[in-house]
Amino acid sequence: MNIERCLIENEKNKMLKVLLNIPENIVISVGPTGCLNVLYNEAIKENKLKSLYTFSISEIDMISANHIEKLEKYIVKIISENFEKIKSVIIYLTCADLILASDFSFLIEKIKSDYEIILKILERGPISKRKITPEKRLEKLLTELECELKNIKKIKNENINDFKIEIQHNIPPITSDYSGACSVLYGNNILKVLISPGGCKTPVTYDEIRNINDSLQYSTSLNELEIVTGEIKGLKENIKEIINQNPKIEIIAVISTVVPQIIGMDLNSIVKDIEKTVNIPCILINTNSFENYYSGISLALDTLASKFMIKSKRVKNTVNIIGYSPLTFGKIEKLEEMFSLIKKLDLDILTIFSDNLSLEKIKRSTSAELNLVLSYEGIALAKYMEKEFSIPYIIINVVSKYGIENTENILKNYFYKIDNFFERLEEFDKLDNRKVMIIASPFMAINIAISLKEDFSLVNILAISFIKESRKLRKIEYLKSLNIVNTEDDLKEIIKDYKPDILISDPIYKNLVDKGTTFISLLHYGYSTRLYLESDYEYCGKKAYEYFKKFI
């Protein structure tokens, strides 16, 4: 087994580029969400997004093979909507289907029989590379496709059921749980090892908007024997060598991905063995590639807390910041006004979860008087610390002028018993009835809605998060007015019915609204990753007020 450093690479997916340029063809990439976002990025760069669809599968559907039945319905709907434009469909598979030996033969025959549309399967990922080189595999597919297309005459079938399609076309799949976990542990004092056949390292380098070269991020390259037996040979030796070269390592994190989850690899035993051998604390982040980055962040924070937090003496006028992630908030400099406010109030920040974490910071966090929660993904840790260490938490809004001044009022009242009511920067003569739609992470969407109402007298605001609904999400009182949208089709329908005058969202959503709609860019890297990395935007404090004011 090899273990490799995850570094920034400029290599493009040449196979995908060829597939997207096949005339009258569409590509449907199928697999866990962690495997798909990269392909969306590549399609955007090639200006070929119209040819790519992505289908994120749940773990239950994948293991039960229920995703094949769903895929059939989706392909039928896509064919019906693009009948005049396509002659073939290529399903681009990931490691999960290869390991489970998913059988698509019936689907291939049915689509050909019903529509005379050629359906081909192409495997991708490091496991498929070991069977046959990507070049040979692609060459074989193109030859077969050319031959099969010669004598077809498409059949139009109007019998299409009206159902919600879970495949995404205009919007990328959300960043995966393991990328979220890696983001939490960013830095050179925490060694992170993805357990993977090797392909999972690419999404991590795409999803991390900071310099991945400054983080001690590695990935295994599991071979066939290790996948079959579940035993990883040479891992301890590789880790020892990395530690010898990086003596500042104080935590080792073993991070699971789709392959070890599917084969049931005993990573707990591996982690215990590593910790005993190298005498450095080792944790397992049991991610699976099927969940989103919010889940991965929450899991990583919970794992760190349960392993390293100990009760300590309370320190007066101290806070922790919980729930920061570049995937939601961008680079930490965007929160400058929040940090300036805390400093102005003579409060000390003990720990920011998660920015440059260390053992010392994690342990001293239990001395804080108060936890300030920025995001949905920070709630689980805040509740844990409240239960275990009696540290209360407050959800804060730092968006625009209202948000930062309201946070100031909350902090003054909590620490100094001062109720500092504030006035708006401007008083508006009348309410603004323009329709505003916000598409953002759960807390961000709500916070922007609250601040726009207070700062600009906007009253028609629809706050949306494009995320799979969960019971945990719905239990949070702060999010009671949030509209949760599960599918791209649902989102398009809401936009069509609501007809927003103003859209505040990541640029990935811009093409879903009319050209006359006022668009205000708000980067959400958990979806667009590095696509719009240099785009200008603000959300925190008075800078954000001036930013919004330019458009509103």
Side-chain angles (χ1 to χ4, degrees), residues 41-70:
N41 276 261
E42 293 295 334
I44 286 278
K45 290 173 187 174
E46 295 294 328
N47 198 25
K48 290 289 182 180
L49 187 58
K50 64 181 181 180
S51 301
L52 177 70
Y53 291 78
T54 55
F55 178 27
S56 298
I57 301 167
S58 71
E59 188 173 16
I60 293 172
D61 280 348
M62 175 65 79
I63 292 171
S64 65
N66 191 42
H67 68 296
I68 300 176
E69 184 180 339
K70 286 185 176 181

Side-chain angles (χ1 to χ4, degrees), residues 239-492:
I239 287 175
K240 280 182 188 177
E241 188 177 334
I242 295 168
I243 291 168
N244 288 336
Q245 295 169 4
N246 300 272
K248 292 182 179 179
I249 292 172
E250 50 186 13
I251 301 172
I252 299 168
V254 172
I255 302 168
S256 181
T257 59
V258 62
V259 170
Q261 285 293 317
I262 287 177
I263 66 175
M265 188 177 282
D266 185 6
L267 293 180
N268 277 302
S269 296
I270 291 170
V271 164
K272 287 176 184 176
D273 193 25
I274 291 169
E275 184 172 82
K276 184 178 178 182
T277 302
V278 301
N279 200 28
I280 292 176
C282 190
I283 57 174
L284 169 63
I285 313 293
N286 208 20
T287 45
N288 61 19
S289 303
F290 294 95
E291 302 298 329
N292 60 45
Y293 81 85
Y294 304 113
S295 170
I297 290 171
S298 293
L299 180 59
L301 292 175
D302 182 64
T303 305
L304 290 171
S306 57
K307 175 83 171 178
F308 299 116
M309 284 186 181
I310 54 174
K311 193 166 185 176
S312 50
K313 187 177 179 182
R314 201 71 79 236
V315 176
K316 193 172 175 59
N317 293 349
T318 56
V319 298
N320 296 314
I321 307 295
I322 297 182
Y324 165 72
S325 164
L327 292 166
T328 294
F329 294 96
K331 293 182 179 177
I332 201 161
E333 292 79 13
K334 291 288 180 186
L335 289 162
E336 178 188 348
E337 288 189 47
M338 179 191 73
F339 295 125
S340 296
L341 167 64
I342 292 169
K343 186 177 180 180
K344 184 181 85 171
L345 296 176
D346 292 322
L347 303 174
D348 290 326
I349 299 173
L350 295 186
T351 305
I352 301 171
F353 292 96
S354 304
D355 180 62
N356 289 316
L357 284 177
S358 65
L359 267 177
E360 180 192 356
K361 288 178 182 178
I362 295 167
K363 289 177 179 178
R364 79 182 184 192
S365 67
T366 58
S367 296
E369 275 195 90
L370 181 67
N371 283 328
L372 304 179
V373 179
L374 294 177
S375 66
Y376 163 63
E377 51 269 37
I379 286 287
L381 177 60
K383 287 185 174 180
Y384 175 86
M385 294 180 76
E386 182 179 55
K387 181 181 176 183
E388 297 296 324
F389 306 106
S390 302
I391 302 174
Y393 71 88
I394 295 172
I395 297 169
I396 61 169
N397 175 5
V398 297
V399 172
S400 194
K401 178 182 180 289
Y402 172 81
I404 204 75
E405 292 192 345
N406 187 54
T407 296
E408 180 177 358
N409 193 39
I410 288 169
L411 294 177
K412 281 183 175 179
N413 184 266
Y414 186 89
F415 286 100
Y416 305 115
K417 311 305 175 191
I418 298 170
D419 204 354
N420 180 47
F421 288 107
F422 55 89
E423 296 180 359
R424 293 178 189 166
L425 192 63
E426 293 181 18
E427 288 294 336
F428 293 86
D429 295 333
K430 60 181 180 179
L431 299 178
D432 191 327
N433 288 313
R434 283 178 293 173
K435 292 182 179 180
V436 180
M437 178 178 283
I438 303 157
I439 309 173
S441 61
F443 279 20
M444 183 68 82
I446 292 296
N447 289 339
I448 294 173
I450 292 169
S451 293
L452 289 185
K453 181 179 178 182
E454 297 296 332
D455 282 344
F456 298 101
S457 294
L458 289 156
V459 289
N460 293 325
I461 303 175
L462 190 63
I464 292 174
S465 261
F466 187 66
I467 180 177
K468 295 290 183 185
E469 189 167 4
S470 68
R471 280 179 290 179
K472 285 182 181 179
L473 195 66
R474 273 298 173 210
K475 283 182 180 178
I476 300 172
E477 180 68 16
Y478 195 76
L479 299 176
K480 63 182 179 182
S481 62
L482 180 69
N483 293 271
I484 299 170
V485 180
N486 291 284
T487 71
E488 188 174 304
D489 271 6
D490 285 335
L491 182 58
K492 288 177 182 177

Side-chain angles (χ1 to χ4, degrees), residues 524-537:
H524 188 179
Y525 297 106
Y527 280 96
S528 62
T529 60
R530 304 180 70 85
L531 278 176
Y532 309 104
L533 196 54
E534 304 307 319
S535 295
D536 179 43
Y537 74 105

